[in-house]
């Protein structure tokens, strides 16, 4: 947004920021006072002080000017925002309907490629008219914003549905898959390949009255065609696709997509097979401990995923999954007509298996995992919120890290903590993969780069800090978690500092999760540069950082009364949490050379459902 707002809009800016939970009243009053004293706009002061992210200032700007975000639309509320884009609820006046309005402030875009991809998304989905695809209504540029007006789907995505209610029976899974296949068949008839089919991109909503669906089965709508590939003759595709970049989500992408972005419908069929597997089993088919393991299993054509299916899944389902997940595209189900026929043919055997209750047995996993009943969910625990871009996946079982729960022994301090909370569907990416505008570098040098997967990562040495904003987080005692992938590279150690109220005050004590070449320890420092005092025993790595492929998965959670350390998806250690340590902040501190980080994410904790 522009540098500040004139006149009384300064007060309006702060009022909206407080109303939307981005600022506390006391913070707004201080910013208001500082703005009057210095003449610097309230919005600029909020960003400079780290109280708000630049994208949040853009959100407030849109809410302050609801009639001027996109022509013919009036913003009525906020649906969400990420590192780059914002999605508003809006009213489209001419057609008298409520829509989802996606916007990207142009000043946040570093290259014309990003603009082109946004326009590509709009044009691609604008060509599609199908009940199982989210409809696009309008797009354009206005007041230095790109905007896309889309169908507003009231409901939940499949990823969250699995996390809330657990894995699904075969019949339901294939009923949902049939709808997705029908939508993709329509896209295929227009020469469009989605390239990022996964549970998070499948929206579940109530079907209109009389719509032909089995009882209890929701209507599925495929969303986010932002990674589509237009037909092979498109010159625009060649300009917009970066050579060597594999667009998609590794757990679901087809093996050929890893090295070649020019994939066809077979890649979407593979991804749909991986999604069906996730519905039936509760986890993706290749839950390796490192990204290298996941990709290696795909490239080798491993069928070990069959061992992770629940006992009693019908042979018909396993056979179709095998034909959808074949390594070689030529051996895969090759078209949607055949796929839809195969899905319908599976139904009798799947129905018989469900009726017999065979698929309700305990889930068999690829690895032997010990579950600590104090921190785990039910025995067949399922993933909570997996972030759309969680690439490194260094987990023994993806389900556990996404829940923020653990397998293995928990190191405690001889006390009885309050009941633990679990991960909710509220999350935010703390790094958009493109820039560090929302971070404050205290010292050292930090930058972004493309890692071996062609995705954005951050690296540096010294320290960098980020405030955490999550809808619904209590100011009195915020309960949240932070997860990320750490690549030690040349560094001696990589530390997460948290629990201190003012990151700019180096003298304040803080809690510390320390990562070095020996392993991980939870501890404290009396000041930022004070001596590290370990609270937990050393948690050694199964593979050394030099041997591990990809990144090491770590994180922490601010639970009621305790800090909980997560290592490779397991709750590995805990220590008391001071009742006054409520500042939602994370500081990355790197010593002895550069280190890297990917998929830095924060999420809200709440009661177990």
């Amino acid at each position: 947004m522009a540098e500040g707002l004139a006149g009384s809009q300064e007060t309006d800016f702060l009022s909206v920021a407080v109303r939307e939970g981005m600022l506390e009243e006391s913070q707004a009053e201080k910013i208001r006072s500082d703005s009057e004293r210095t003449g610097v706009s309230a919005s600029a002061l909020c960003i400079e002080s780290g109280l708000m992210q630049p994208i949040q200032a853009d959100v407030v700007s849109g809410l302050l000017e609801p009639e001027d975000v996109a022509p013919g639309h009036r913003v009525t509320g906020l649906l969400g925002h990420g590192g780059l884009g914002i999605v508003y609820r809006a009213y489209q006046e001419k057609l008298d309907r409520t829509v989802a309005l996606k916007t990207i402030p142009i000043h946040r875009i570093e290259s014309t490629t990003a603009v082109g991809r946004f326009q590509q998304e709009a044009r691609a989905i604008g060509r599609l008219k199908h009940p199982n695809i989210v409809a696009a209504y309008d797009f354009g540029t206005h007041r230095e914003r790109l905007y896309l007006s889309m169908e507003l789907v009231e409901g939940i995505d499949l990823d969250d549905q699995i996390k809330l209610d657990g894995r699904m029976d075969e019949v339901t899974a294939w009923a949902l898959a049939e709808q997705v296949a029908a939508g993709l068949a329509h896209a295929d008839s227009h020469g469009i390949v989605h390239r990022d089919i996964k549970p998070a991109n499948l929206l579940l909503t109530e079907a209109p009255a009389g719509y032909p669906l089995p009882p209890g089965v929701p209507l599925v709508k495929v969303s986010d065609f932002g990674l589509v590939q237009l037909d092979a003759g498109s010159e625009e595709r060649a300009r917009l696709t970066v050579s060597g970049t594999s667009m998609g989500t590794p757990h679901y992408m087809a093996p050929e997509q890893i090295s070649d972005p020019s994939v066809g419908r077979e890649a979407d069929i593979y991804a749909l097979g991986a999604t069906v597997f996730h519905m039936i089993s509760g986890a993706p088919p290749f839950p390796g401990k490192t990204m290298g393991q996941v990709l290696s299993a795909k490239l080798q054509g491993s069928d070990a995923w069959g061992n992770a299916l629940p006992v009693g899944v019908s042979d018909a389902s396993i056979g179709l999954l095998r034909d959808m997940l074949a390594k070689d595209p030529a051996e895969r189900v090759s078209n949607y007509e055949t796929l839809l026929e195969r899905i319908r043919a599976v139904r009798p055997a799947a129905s018989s298996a469900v009726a017999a209750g065979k698929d309700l047995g305990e889930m068999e996993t690829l690895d032997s995992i010990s579950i600590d009943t104090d921190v785990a969910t039910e025995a067949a625990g399922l993933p909570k919120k997996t972030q759309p871009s969680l690439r490194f996946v260094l987990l023994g079982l993806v389900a556990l890290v996404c829940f923020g729960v653990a397998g293995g022994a928990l190191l405690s301090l001889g006390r009885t903590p309050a009941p633990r909370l679990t991960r909710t569907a509220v999350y935010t990416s703390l790094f958009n993969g493109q820039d560090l505008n929302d971070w404050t570098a205290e010292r050292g040098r930090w930058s972004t780069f493309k890692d071996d997967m062609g995705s954005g990562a951050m690296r540096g040495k010294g320290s960098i800090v980020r405030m955490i904003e999550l809808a619904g987080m209590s100011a009195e005692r915020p309960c949240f978690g932070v997860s990320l992938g750490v690549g030690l590279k040349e560094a001696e150690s990589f530390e997460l500092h948290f629990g201190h109220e003012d990151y700019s005050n180096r003298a304040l004590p803080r809690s510390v999760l320390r990562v070095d070449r020996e392993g991980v320890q939870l501890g404290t420092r009396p000041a930022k540069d004070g001596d590290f005092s370990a609270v937990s025993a050393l948690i050694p790595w199964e593979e050394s950082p030099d041997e591990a492929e990809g990144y090491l998965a770590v994180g922490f959670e601010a639970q009621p009364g305790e800090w909980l350390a997560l290592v490779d998806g397991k709750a590995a250690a805990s220590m008391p949490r001071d009742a006054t340590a409520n500042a939602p902040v994370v500081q990355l501190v790197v010593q002895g050379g550069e280190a890297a980080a990917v998929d830095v994410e924060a999420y809200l904790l709440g009661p177990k459902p």
Side-chain angles (χ1 to χ4, degrees), residues 301-332:
S302 170
D303 60 358
W305 50 263
N307 298 326
L309 287 168
V311 175
V313 171
S314 70
D315 290 341
S317 285
I318 295 173
L320 180 49
L321 284 173
R322 183 173 292 112
D323 290 344
M324 295 175 73
L325 293 171
K327 172 192 172 184
D328 187 347
E331 297 178 2
R332 223 172 282 158

Side-chain angles (χ1 to χ4, degrees), residues 15 146 153-154 168 217 247 252 281 364 372 425 440 464 499 558:
S15 297
L146 296 169
V153 180
E154 302 282 6
M168 301 176 177
V217 175
M247 304 174 83
Y252 307 94
S281 72
E364 297 176 355
D372 184 331
T440 300
I464 192 168

